[in-house]
């Protein structure tokens, strides 16, 4: 076991930001971790927008529906799928880009965005900072696109709020490993038992935290009975990701 | 600067696998890093399929069009977007899942898959192993779905080959930081200059490696003038990700 593994195994999503700032050198090192991160085909179809301005963070917090962490954390980084940059490269080489119209292109961009999110979070946590991924920016993507002045062929798919924290969050239990790791091939059998067991684990977890109203995983999964951020599709299409190829 | 930051900044995609195996305890620790990784809404919409069997790895290598790294690395991990698991949770709570039909659902799954990919790679590299992300599994997704016995509402979106390596790969230069990091809002100005400068950097890089036929970034970007993996969309739809919501 090494420090990096320990950090990865000890992951928690920290939101108890003190409001103190992050030194420039630390922020540079965190951004560099994402800049150096692996990406598919060396396409580098990712850009970051680093927001520190308090009023902008307030506006981003508002468009997520009021997530306090974004306003409180000194740094909010939006991870952007960027096929504008690649289109310029294609153009310089005399071609015309098509990939952004495809499910393949969106898949590559979104997976690379996840790689960037993880790199930012691991880097921040290695410095003793707290960090939390934010999906809520997709509640009103158009407002964020306007605020960050994002060009066509880009899409703000995820965010990370980070900064010094007052105390670490408790580590939330996960579904049993048997429902996550499959050897040689997928095993569908036993999944329902795993979920039932996890529901009990989460009940105990919430009770121990003094929050008996906390939902089981199954109850929380009811959010998936509807498209909780219906604007994602419309904004994606408007930005040129037509998904029809 | 700490060990973790150093590891992140020193990223390289290693493919020079010796063919030696990975001890079970190391593999367990690598998988645990992905299991504990952050995910959106605690949905845990990811599963891994760990393949060590040599014949299976050979078959996966073949369906990517013959990527040697997959056959040579002792471990190949497929990262699967898994809305089958969440659908069971929804069902247990008395609901019927809709999210997998939406662009939002696919986005969440793909970003979480990227987080898992990064977690696996960072964990493996912290143990001195080499690791490389593999997008080529989307060349023939249906064949992989069949081989891994993946149920409906799941999709194998990315892979990671890992194992002991003979020597580290050189670190490939990235586009200038100015084209990656934007402060407060996106700056489209200067991107073309950044790309031209990077094209020169890559020419020098390939020349120094004795591979003067290596492509510039712009030239390589011509792959984006077509959908190089056209089966991604058809297989995604077939698995139930209709993307129409």
């Amino acid at each position: 076991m090494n420090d990096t593994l320990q950090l990865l195994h000890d992951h928690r999503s920290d939101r108890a930001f003190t409001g103190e700032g992050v030194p420039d050198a630390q922020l540079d090192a965190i951004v560099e971790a994402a800049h150096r991160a692996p990406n598919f085909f060396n396409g580098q179809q990712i850009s970051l927008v680093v927001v520190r301005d308090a009023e902008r963070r307030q506006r981003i917090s508002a468009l997520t529906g009021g997530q306090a962490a974004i306003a409180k954390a000194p740094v909010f980084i939006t991870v952007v799928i960027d096929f504008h940059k690649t289109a310029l490269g294609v153009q310089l080489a005399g071609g015309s880009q098509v990939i952004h119209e495809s499910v393949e292109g969106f898949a590559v961009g979104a997976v690379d965005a996840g790689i960037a999110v993880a790199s930012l979070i691991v880097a921040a946590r290695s410095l003793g900072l707290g960090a939390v991924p934010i999906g809520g920016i997709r509640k009103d993507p158009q407002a964020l696109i306007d605020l960050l002045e994002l060009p066509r062929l880009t899409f703000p798919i995820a965010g990370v709020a980070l900064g010094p924290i007052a105390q670490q969050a408790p580590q939330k239990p996960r579904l049993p490993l048997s429902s996550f790791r499959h050897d040689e091939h997928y095993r569908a059998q036993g999944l329902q038992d795993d979920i039932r067991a996890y529901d009990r684990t989460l009940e105990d977890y919430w009770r121990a935290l003094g929050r008996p109203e906390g939902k089981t995983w199954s109850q929380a999964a009811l959010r998936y009975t509807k498209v909780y951020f219906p604007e994602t599709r419309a904004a994606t299409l408007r930005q040129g990701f037509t998904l029809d190829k």
Side-chain angles (χ1 to χ4, degrees), chain A:
Chain A
M1 185 70 79
N2 56 57
D3 287 356
T4 301
L5 273 179
Q6 207 148 351
L7 190 75
L8 292 167
H9 290 180
D10 189 49
H11 171 77
R12 40 201 84 200
S13 285
D14 281 307
R15 290 177 183 81
F17 299 108
T18 62
E20 289 165 281
V22 174
D24 283 351
Q26 289 197 354
L27 181 55
D28 292 350
I30 292 165
V31 168
E32 185 62 14
H35 189 219
R36 297 287 349 161
N39 68 90
F40 285 98
F41 318 122
N42 196 34
Q44 302 183 56
Q45 41 267 323
I46 293 296
S47 292
L48 305 183
V49 183
V50 178
V51 171
R52 283 184 285 188
D53 179 74
E55 198 193 313
R56 272 177 182 270
R57 284 188 285 105
Q58 199 70 55
R59 286 171 68 185
I60 297 172
S61 168
L63 66 81
T64 64
Q67 289 198 33
I70 302 172
K72 194 75 188 283
V75 177
F76 185 75
I77 301 180
T78 303
V79 178
V80 178
I81 299 178
D82 192 345
F83 281 105
H84 170 67
K85 218 156 50 180
T86 57
L88 291 177
V90 171
Q91 207 174 16
L92 277 175
S96 177
Q97 181 175 275
V98 168
I99 197 68
H100 56 269
E101 298 174 3
S102 67
V103 174
E104 168 62 25
F106 190 71
V108 160
V111 175
D112 278 4
I115 293 173
V117 165
S119 303
L120 293 169
I121 290 175
V122 173
R125 294 190 67 248
S126 82
L127 290 162
L129 302 171
V132 57
I134 304 280
I137 58 167
R138 296 188 307 274
K139 189 178 167 70
D140 187 353
Q142 192 59 53
L144 190 63
I145 288 165
D146 295 342
L147 181 67
L148 301 184
E149 302 173 35
L150 296 177
R152 209 166 159 280
L153 308 190
T154 69
F155 189 74
I157 196 162
V160 176
L162 61 91
I165 46 171
Q167 73 281 325
Q168 280 204 325
Q171 193 176 39
K172 197 179 274 180
R174 293 279 187 255
L175 278 162
L177 188 63
S178 49
S179 70
F180 179 73
R181 173 182 176 162
H182 300 255
D183 282 281
E184 302 304 333
H185 62 84
Y186 194 95
R187 280 176 177 80
Q189 232 181 352
L191 283 179
Q192 275 167 320
D193 291 339
D194 282 343
I195 294 170
R196 285 196 191 94
Y198 183 54
D199 280 348
R200 300 295 85 76
T201 304
L202 272 188
E203 278 175 353
D204 293 344
Y205 169 80
W206 292 122
R207 208 175 298 119
L209 289 180
R211 293 172 55 187
E213 77 288 1
K215 287 181 181 171
T216 65
W217 190 70
S218 299
Q219 285 162 354
L222 287 174
R223 74 180 296 144
Y224 288 168
T225 56
K226 60 171 190 172
V227 184
Y228 50 86
F229 293 152
E231 291 305 312
T232 301
R233 183 169 187 274
T236 305
L237 297 184
R238 241 179 350 250
Q239 287 296 96
F241 298 88
T242 54
L243 304 179
D244 54 359
K245 286 195 172 71

